[in-house]
Amino acid sequence: MTEEEVRRRPGGRGARVRQAVLDAAVDALVEHGVTGFSFADVAARAEVNETSVYRRWRTRENLITDALLAVSDRRVPVPDTGSVREDLYAFATLVVEYLNSPLGGALARAAVITVEDPELAAAREEFWRSRIRSAGVMIERGVARGELRAGTNPRLALEALIAPLHSRALLTREPLDEDLPRALADLVLDGLGARDGGRAATA
Amino acid sequence: MTEEEVRRRPGGRGARVRQAVLDAAVDALVEHGVTGFSFADVAARAEVNETSVYRRWRTRENLITDALLAVSDRRVPVPDTGSVREDLYAFATLVVEYLNSPLGGALARAAVITVEDPELAAAREEFWRSRIRSAGVMIERGVARGELRAGTNPRLALEALIAPLHSRALLTREPLDEDLPRALADLVLDGLGARDGGRAATA
């Protein structure tokens, strides 16, 4: 059995078709953004019948969400280094590399979706909910190891780490420099070193 | 002298015209977004000659930036409570109220500007640079009062406080609840309570 055959094994033909459609969906998003996204275009790019794309995903929302999640899982996997500080640092570094890449930058802009469309808004919300849920495991492991206070809010921590990277990429459009992941991970873990009696966060 | 006359005094007619144009520019941004923004439309709304608008601002970039800054300065003034924690809390609360308002929500979406246009990108950058500079004084006062470590990076602190609010408003489009400002201010000041030997932030 060749390496190629082994790699292709899991899921067989169904999985290959699924991956081809998701890859095509990503290409379509990069080229036309969310507003110009259609089943017909994706099916043509993937060389798959439009009805089978439709049968599997049903709505544009489902397909867009799946495609964005597949790219994010591959390009920004959630690290597990054994230390919450190193995990957050590695994760923020991957986000920077992703946002600095042409693909990541284009997808991040597509994901903002300024048009008002309930279906697309639902796709965006589902994407972020899912990403925050899977990345939250870094914080939960930190609590389990005793590195972080019990009751730490994983979502707020991840937002303080990641949102500044997205806002630089989308709002100020500045280059994301390589010191930023460490500085943000340290800020989220240690704070600014406030000295007003160490009043604890209540979140 | 009536109260109205006193209020109008600073700057006289020139200042009144300036304010009328900035108000009209905000209305135009809310209605058409950045891409449909024109001198002619703003001048008509302000009942001012288009050439005098052009003479004063020269580029759409300048006018958009000025209009956004005027609204932000008025709706989200930088607090000075005497405590960095209360300042950050009050500031984040104002940002939440602003983003939750129809005007603030519409302007935030307009300010994202997903189209590629160097002039508009420059406007957006100038807006954020200017806002971060003026809000940075909260952090600088905290350092001066000994509440924060010397060498604290004001920009990174403000981004960790404010970017999550913008990302919820723009990306996940969730309602921004009233616990969020306090939770974020505490996170930025205290961190997550990491216990790995208190390694200090190096930013």
Side-chain angles (χ1 to χ4, degrees), chain B residues 11 15 33-34 36 56 86 94 96 111-112 117 122 133-134 136 158 162 180 185 197:
Chain B
V34 164
R56 195 190 286 239
E86 291 306 314
L94 290 171
V96 163
V112 172
D117 176 329
R133 205 164 42 223
S134 60
L158 288 169
I162 298 308
L180 210 47

Side-chain angles (χ1 to χ4, degrees), chain A residues 2-184:
Chain A
T2 67
E3 200 184 297
E4 184 63 16
E5 280 172 308
V6 173
R7 214 169 51 76
R8 285 187 162 186
R9 259 300 164 79
R13 186 177 178 279
R16 286 197 304 279
V17 169
R18 182 171 187 277
Q19 193 56 55
V21 172
L22 294 180
D23 288 345
V26 166
D27 290 344
L29 282 172
V30 167
E31 197 164 319
H32 299 301
V34 164
T35 43
F37 186 88
S38 75
F39 274 129
D41 178 37
V42 171
R45 286 166 189 266
E47 299 179 13
V48 169
N49 205 304
E50 187 180 338
T51 52
S52 56
V53 178
Y54 176 77
R55 204 180 313 119
R56 194 190 285 238
W57 280 278
R58 293 281 163 193
T59 65
R60 293 201 309 151
E61 164 201 331
N62 291 338
L63 180 50
I64 290 172
T65 307
D66 261 16
L68 290 176
L69 287 174
V71 172
S72 297
D73 288 347
R74 201 164 59 221
R75 300 280 296 260
V76 190
V78 177
D80 186 7
T81 64
S83 143
V84 70
R85 191 177 299 266
E86 290 307 314
D87 278 0
L88 293 187
Y89 171 56
F91 188 66
T93 301
L94 290 170
V95 171
V96 163
E97 286 167 4
Y98 178 66
L99 290 173
N100 277 343
S101 73
L103 174 69
L107 288 178
R109 282 186 287 278
V112 172
I113 320 175
T114 49
V115 290
E116 295 302 330
D117 177 328
E119 186 198 307
L120 299 178
R124 181 181 46 218
E125 276 167 40
E126 178 51 31
F127 170 75
W128 286 103
R129 240 197 311 270
S130 176
R131 284 295 291 168
I132 285 167
R133 204 163 42 224
S134 60
V137 71
M138 293 184 290
I139 304 296
E140 289 155 14
R141 286 189 306 238
V143 172
R145 281 190 300 257
E147 295 171 300
L148 301 176
R149 263 193 289 277
T152 298
N153 181 338
R155 168 147 192 212
L156 205 63
L158 288 169
E159 287 181 320
L161 181 74
I162 297 308
L165 302 175
H166 279 268
S167 83
R168 285 205 193 184
L170 294 171
L171 297 177
T172 57
R173 299 280 178 100
E174 286 158 284
L176 298 168
D177 67 57
E178 54 188 21
D179 299 338
L180 211 46
R182 176 72 72 186
L184 277 166

